[in-house]
Amino acid sequence: MAQLLISGGAGFIGSHTCLVLLEAGHHLMVIDNYHNSSPEALRRVANLAGPDAANRLNIVEGDIRNSDDLDRAFSNNKQDIEAVVHFAGLKAVGESVQQPLLYWDVNVVGSCCLLQAMQRHRCRTIVFSSSATLYGYPTQVPIPESAAVQPINPYGHSKAAVEQMLMDLSASEPGWRIARLRYFNPVGAHCSGKIGEDPRGIPNNLFPFVTQVAIGRRQELQVFGNDWPTPDGSGVRDYIHVMDLAEGHQAALDVLLQEDPQLLTLNLGSGTGHSVLDVVKAFEAVSGRSVPYTVQNRRPGDAACTVADPSQAAARLNWSTHRSLLEMCQDAWTWQQNNPKGYSTLD
Ligand code: NAD
Ligand code: UFG
């Protein structure tokens, strides 16, 4: 079993991936500054992962832009860090338009600092959280990894810059083992309802907004456009259950650690699209609650339809998604009901 460093491990995707990796027997060191997360998430991960898991989960509260924090995270372990799973970063598209330098600093400078620390500590295996946002307005759907990288906002530019940084590094020095994983739309929660997505303030994304409407925290959903060139006129996305995504990270790590050094670039999605109205209907079915909505103008920067071609991930990782839209809604609903205010309400 490997000693792994997980940056941003307290966050939404990081916490679910920590659970999967602990259950697989790995030793984890998490570095997180809790900018967008709570220490409670990792306490619950340790509880869910079983009796001995707490001994295999260590945490440094720190910032990936701070080399001292990173050195502490790399050094405070019995074994050397074998691989890094790099989630830490900022992800709000609108905020990135308002504060581009913040996004270049945290996402790009932060990733550079992390890679420099990896060089100092002779670790050359990394799984990076990239995004389907790289594809901008896609010219073909399903989208293959060979599609043009043409981001349309600073968040997307920051992900493209880190992807380039990783490619330059792998070309400069043999021995790097790198996976650039382009996530489509991660949603849902662990089926226990103990960990899930806990956005601060008004959610930007569809799923947390829908769950908050169903629980009564928000009055109604605004559907951004019903005149898209899609079957029902609302936007279509490739939603991926966060536990499928977490298992995708485990699969990528296994391949990187077992095979020769390489640079992998893979879409992680289901290959199936669902519209906003499909999500509303599925959510109403599992929750028994109604999700009132009004139709608004299209949201600037949205594409009509983004769906992954997931065949490369299936071929290279022997991994594919298996949880349905109904399971995504059910698990998000269980999480929301058990934690109406997210992690700020202790159970
Ligand atoms: P999240 O905000 O829940 O998790 C990110 C974590 O990183 C948080 O715990 C946060 O506190 C931490 N963090 C932020 N800045 C940090 C810093 N400077 N130093 C240390 N820790 C820091 O987000 P998430 O949804 O779990 O996303 C994880 C990664 O996946 C991000 O890089 C994101 O851009 C990428 N991604 C997310 C989505 C999505 O829709 N959720 C889609 C594609 C890609
Ligand atoms: N939508 C609504 N109402 C809302 C929120 C969203 O109708 O209140 C619609 C959007 O217009 C879109 C769909 O729901 O058609 C999904 O929107 P999200 O905001 O949930 O997700 P996006 O596809 O816009 O983007 C998300 C992340 C990005 C990431 C991308 C791909 O926010 O950071 O998935 O991974 F890059």
Side-chain angles (χ1 to χ4, degrees), residues 10-16 36-38 41 44 91 184-190 193-212 217 239-242 328 331-337 339-344:
F12 171 45
I13 305 168
S15 56
H16 291 78
N36 194 37
S37 54
S38 160
R44 295 188 189 187
K91 61 170 183 176
F184 278 66
N185 287 59
V187 297
H190 186 257
K194 298 265 185 203
I195 56 172
E197 187 170 12
D198 185 18
R200 304 247 158 112
I202 301 172
N204 295 312
N205 298 119
L206 179 66
F207 251 73
F209 206 103
V210 168
T211 59
Q212 292 191 8
R217 248 173 101 177
Y239 296 98
I240 172 170
H241 194 296
V242 65
M328 299 178 212
D331 294 337
W333 180 232
T334 306
W335 156 251
Q336 179 69 72
Q337 281 181 299
N339 307 271
K341 292 184 182 160
Y343 291 111
S344 62

Side-chain angles (χ1 to χ4, degrees), residues 173-327:
E173 229 184 286
W176 277 90
R177 300 159 188 265
I178 297 173
R180 305 184 300 182
L181 303 182
R182 297 175 176 170
Y183 314 154
F184 278 66
N185 287 59
V187 297
H190 186 257
C191 59
S192 65
K194 298 265 185 203
I195 56 172
E197 187 170 12
D198 185 18
R200 304 247 158 112
I202 301 172
N204 295 312
N205 298 119
L206 179 66
F207 251 73
F209 206 103
V210 168
T211 59
Q212 292 191 8
V213 171
I215 201 91
R217 248 173 101 177
R218 318 227 166 253
Q219 244 180 352
E220 63 180 15
L221 172 70
Q222 300 180 341
V223 174
F224 297 139
N226 64 354
D227 55 353
W228 293 102
T230 60
D232 66 19
S234 64
V236 168
R237 295 291 181 274
D238 184 337
Y239 296 98
I240 172 170
H241 194 296
V242 65
M243 290 303 294
D244 279 331
L245 186 59
E247 289 161 12
H249 287 75
Q250 184 186 10
L253 266 175
D254 287 348
V255 165
L256 288 183
L257 291 170
Q258 282 159 23
E259 294 185 1
D260 288 340
Q262 61 185 310
L263 173 68
L264 281 170
T265 305
L266 298 171
N267 287 337
L268 296 190
S270 71
T272 301
H274 295 288
S275 73
V276 175
L277 299 182
D278 289 337
V279 171
V280 168
K281 278 183 218 130
F283 206 83
E284 288 182 331
V286 301
S287 68
R289 302 276 179 99
S290 90
V291 178
Y293 65 84
T294 53
V295 176
Q296 305 286 328
N297 290 336
R298 293 178 180 188
R299 184 172 63 176
D302 270 354
C305 177
T306 58
V307 175
D309 173 347
S311 55
Q312 285 297 319
R316 293 296 294 111
L317 306 182
N318 192 24
W319 165 93
S320 57
T321 64
H322 62 273
R323 293 169 177 90
S324 67
L325 179 63
L326 284 175
E327 284 170 277

Side-chain angles (χ1 to χ4, degrees), residues 34-249:
Y34 301 121
H35 172 82
N36 194 37
S37 54
S38 160
E40 178 64 12
L42 290 173
R43 280 195 280 274
R44 295 188 189 187
V45 164
N47 282 336
L48 283 168
D52 75 316
N55 301 328
R56 291 183 287 110
L57 174 62
N58 290 301
I59 302 164
V60 161
E61 181 171 351
D63 195 302
I64 55 164
R65 292 164 296 177
N66 181 314
S67 56
D68 292 338
D69 291 348
L70 284 166
D71 286 339
R72 269 194 299 139
F74 273 95
S75 307
N76 289 351
N77 308 288
K78 284 190 196 125
Q79 297 164 250
D80 289 343
I81 300 278
E82 254 180 85
V84 174
V85 189
H86 176 28
F87 296 105
L90 303 179
K91 61 170 183 176
V93 171
E95 182 183 60
S96 80
V97 175
Q98 302 297 321
Q99 299 186 65
L101 296 184
L102 178 66
Y103 275 67
W104 280 86
D105 187 35
V106 176
N107 291 0
V108 182
V109 175
S111 297
C112 188
C113 292
L114 176 61
L115 290 164
Q116 287 167 336
M118 289 178 69
Q119 284 189 316
R120 283 197 299 283
H121 295 273
R122 290 170 298 283
C123 173
R124 287 189 295 182
T125 302
I126 183 168
V127 176
F128 170 60
S129 297
S130 189
S131 170
T133 199
L134 284 181
Y135 298 121
Y137 301 116
T139 48
Q140 65 184 113
V141 180
I143 310 171
E145 288 84 353
S146 56
V149 169
Q150 45 190 15
I152 54 168
N153 53 59
Y155 168 65
H157 288 298
S158 75
K159 289 290 174 189
V162 179
E163 281 213 359
Q164 186 64 51
M165 198 187 296
L166 290 167
M167 192 183 238
D168 293 347
L169 197 55
S170 87
S172 73
E173 229 184 286
W176 277 90
R177 300 159 188 265
I178 297 173
R180 305 184 300 182
L181 303 182
R182 297 175 176 170
Y183 314 154
F184 278 66
N185 287 59
V187 297
H190 186 257
C191 59
S192 65
K194 298 265 185 203
I195 56 172
E197 187 170 12
D198 185 18
R200 304 247 158 112
I202 301 172
N204 295 312
N205 298 119
L206 179 66
F207 251 73
F209 206 103
V210 168
T211 59
Q212 292 191 8
V213 171
I215 201 91
R217 248 173 101 177
R218 318 227 166 253
Q219 244 180 352
E220 63 180 15
L221 172 70
Q222 300 180 341
V223 174
F224 297 139
N226 64 354
D227 55 353
W228 293 102
T230 60
D232 66 19
S234 64
V236 168
R237 295 291 181 274
D238 184 337
Y239 296 98
I240 172 170
H241 194 296
V242 65
M243 290 303 294
D244 279 331
L245 186 59
E247 289 161 12
H249 287 75

